[in-house]
Amino acid sequence: PVKMLDELSRMLTPIDDPKTKLQVQSRGWNPDWDPKRLWIDGFIEKERKLTIKGHARNNEDLAEFLERLNSSRHFVNVRLNLSDAVKIQKLNDAKLVQFDISAVVIYGPADVKRYAAGTLFEADRKK
């Protein structure tokens, strides 16, 4: 879980270094995106099933976050379950995009093999 959380932290950290900007651009990321335009309100991972809930300033910010999740080796089956324009009264009726994302978390090579073989969620099927 530590490497996955580290990757998520890098996704949500502004990039200042020009060399790093070139590296992330090759992954399809916008190197000039400001991650402060996205807030994670909830992060629940249970048996490799992940739900992330939060708000973004606009659809472009949400799209950038989805691109970053999809390009990560730690997240597969990334799905946007909810994207809704809302007004936040506590923020002077600021208009934001509320989102709900689900994904499968991959922790390492063993998970990749189990996911490819379709056995990552075997315990679920036995319940």
Side-chain angles (χ1 to χ4, degrees):
V2 173
K3 290 182 181 181
M4 178 270 295
L5 290 172
D6 183 54
E7 172 83 358
L8 185 64
S9 174
R10 278 187 266 134
M11 287 179 195
L12 297 172
T13 300
I15 303 166
D16 296 323
D17 178 56
K19 185 177 178 182
T20 304
K21 282 187 176 196
L22 287 173
Q23 290 171 343
V24 299
Q25 195 169 12
S26 70
R27 293 177 76 179
W29 296 14
N30 173 355
D32 297 317
W33 178 61
D34 183 1
K36 293 177 186 172
R37 297 178 54 88
L38 184 126
W39 302 267
I40 293 178
D41 301 324
F43 182 94
I44 300 171
E45 187 271 332
K46 185 174 181 182
E47 297 177 7
R48 293 177 176 74
K49 294 178 183 175
L50 175 66
T51 302
I52 301 174
K53 295 182 180 189
H55 292 83
R57 287 292 294 156
N58 57 39
N59 285 322
E60 289 80 17
D61 295 316
L62 176 54
E64 179 65 25
F65 183 51
L66 287 167
E67 177 64 36
R68 291 177 180 215
L69 288 171
N70 276 308
S71 69
S72 170
R73 63 182 175 192
H74 294 288
F75 304 98
V76 294
N77 289 357
V78 177
R79 184 182 349 203
L80 179 62
N81 302 314
L82 169 76
S83 172
D84 194 19
V86 295
K87 282 186 181 180
I88 306 295
Q89 202 170 31
K90 291 180 182 179
L91 299 174
N92 297 325
D93 288 333
K95 294 178 185 176
L96 301 175
V97 176
Q98 181 179 14
F99 63 84
D100 179 322
I101 298 169
S102 61
V104 173
V105 179
I106 301 293
Y107 290 131
D111 283 354
V112 172
K113 289 177 184 175
R114 289 177 58 210
Y115 180 76
T119 61
L120 187 60
F121 300 109
E122 257 182 12
D124 289 346
R125 289 191 285 267
K126 292 178 182 177
K127 288 181 183 177

